[in-house]
Amino acid sequence: MKRYLSIFASLAVLIITIPCLAFIGTSKPPYTSKKASSGIISSDTEKATDADSFKLYNHKTKKVETVSVRDYLIGVVGAEMPASFHSEALKAQAVASHTYALNMKQQQQKSPNKSLNGADLSTDPATSQSYMTKEELKEFYGEHFETYYKKISEAVDSVIDKVIIYQNEPIAAAFHSISGGMTEDPANIWGKSLNYLKPVLSDGDFLAPDYESKVTLTADEVKAKLSAKFSDIQWTDEPGKWITVKILTDSKSVKEADVCGTTVTGTDLRNALGLNSAYFTVSFADGKFTFDVKGKGHGVGMSQYGADYLARQGKSYEDILKYYYSDVTIAVLQKTDS
């Protein structure tokens, strides 16, 4: 498992989810003792370390802040998943986010990222999980705050001692908003496969409100956006021949495309053009490119809308996590004397 943890830092930087705002809440924190640490209960004697708090680099204030595990998880779940989702989906998000944070904390201890100024992870959604304070969520939800605050806090409290492990280590718990109908192999996004992140069908995503989207750009706009990303493209006078999709992944996303003779990845093309995902087709007519897109996000790991669909079909948060993350165990974090 150590070899998987060694790539987590790069995965964490590249795992960019599509955050949806929700709420946080309060009740008695399970983590209160400053003289205790936690380990994972498993059949292995080796135990991963938990924490009573996380040190966050606030990308807005540029300061390092210490936040309790509970408050952090509530703030992350509130920022990452709509509060209207089923409680079992919110629980699944809480466990995935807790696992993500633990893995980030461990990686930071082993190989510190100096840009975090001693923090465990950042609040910047471009490089880490989204996070919102109680005050930020209260402002966003207005008169509905108390209802969602309570709902998310209860979901977090019910699973705050759970974590997803593979070979007794917290996994790189990638998640995204909406898949194209099948989740993606991380090798197609970040160049590295992981045994617990195998593509699975996610039929519930077809029902998501933003499953399909369309982006229309003029030839000049496409040229400007792609030139900013790929400086070596030799543009021709035939825009209709500029972009050709070459290879699709098993999940039907664009793996490789040709842009005027330059090979680019579907992920890079997606990011450069501002598309919701790399699952797209492209056409050209009347001086304009049209990109028909399916899904939202990188497509790896747990689909958030897929999780909500499964929850509404009667699946528990454990069912959801074990469906999207292969061959994993939902372990209990146990306090031990430090």
Side-chain angles (χ1 to χ4, degrees), residues 20-25 72-98 129 141 147-160 162 164 175 302-312 315-318 320-321:
C20 302
L21 300 179
F23 281 92
I24 61 175
Y72 176 68
L73 291 181
I74 291 171
V76 170
V77 174
E80 288 285 3
M81 181 174 275
S84 59
F85 277 16
H86 194 285
S87 292
E88 292 302 307
L90 295 175
K91 293 176 187 178
Q93 181 67 62
V95 178
S97 292
H98 195 173
Q129 302 183 108
Y141 279 105
T147 298
Y148 289 122
Y149 183 102
K150 183 175 184 292
K151 182 179 180 181
I152 289 184
S153 66
E154 289 177 349
V156 168
D157 287 339
S158 68
V159 296
I160 199 167
K162 302 297 193 304
I164 313 164
F175 54 88
M302 184 181 73
S303 161
Q304 294 171 316
Y305 273 85
D308 184 53
Y309 174 81
L310 290 178
R312 295 180 190 282
K315 301 299 183 181
S316 69
Y317 78 91
E318 289 197 34
I320 294 168
L321 294 173

Side-chain angles (χ1 to χ4, degrees), residues 20-84:
C20 302
L21 300 179
F23 281 92
I24 61 175
T26 59
S27 67
K28 185 177 180 181
Y31 297 91
T32 57
S33 174
K34 295 183 179 179
K35 297 182 179 180
S37 59
S38 300
I40 295 175
I41 297 176
S42 71
S43 58
D44 197 314
T45 56
E46 182 181 359
K47 294 183 177 181
T49 301
D50 189 20
D52 290 335
S53 62
F54 290 114
K55 291 182 179 179
L56 307 181
Y57 177 74
N58 189 316
H59 71 290
K60 296 177 182 179
T61 65
K62 309 301 182 184
K63 295 180 179 180
V64 175
E65 304 169 358
T66 299
V67 180
S68 71
V69 169
R70 180 180 183 277
D71 287 344
Y72 176 68
L73 291 181
I74 291 171
V76 170
V77 174
E80 288 285 3
M81 181 174 275
S84 59

Side-chain angles (χ1 to χ4, degrees), residues 196-208:
Y196 51 79
L197 287 177
K198 298 176 181 177
V200 298
L201 292 173
S202 190
D203 295 338
D205 291 346
F206 297 134
L207 303 176

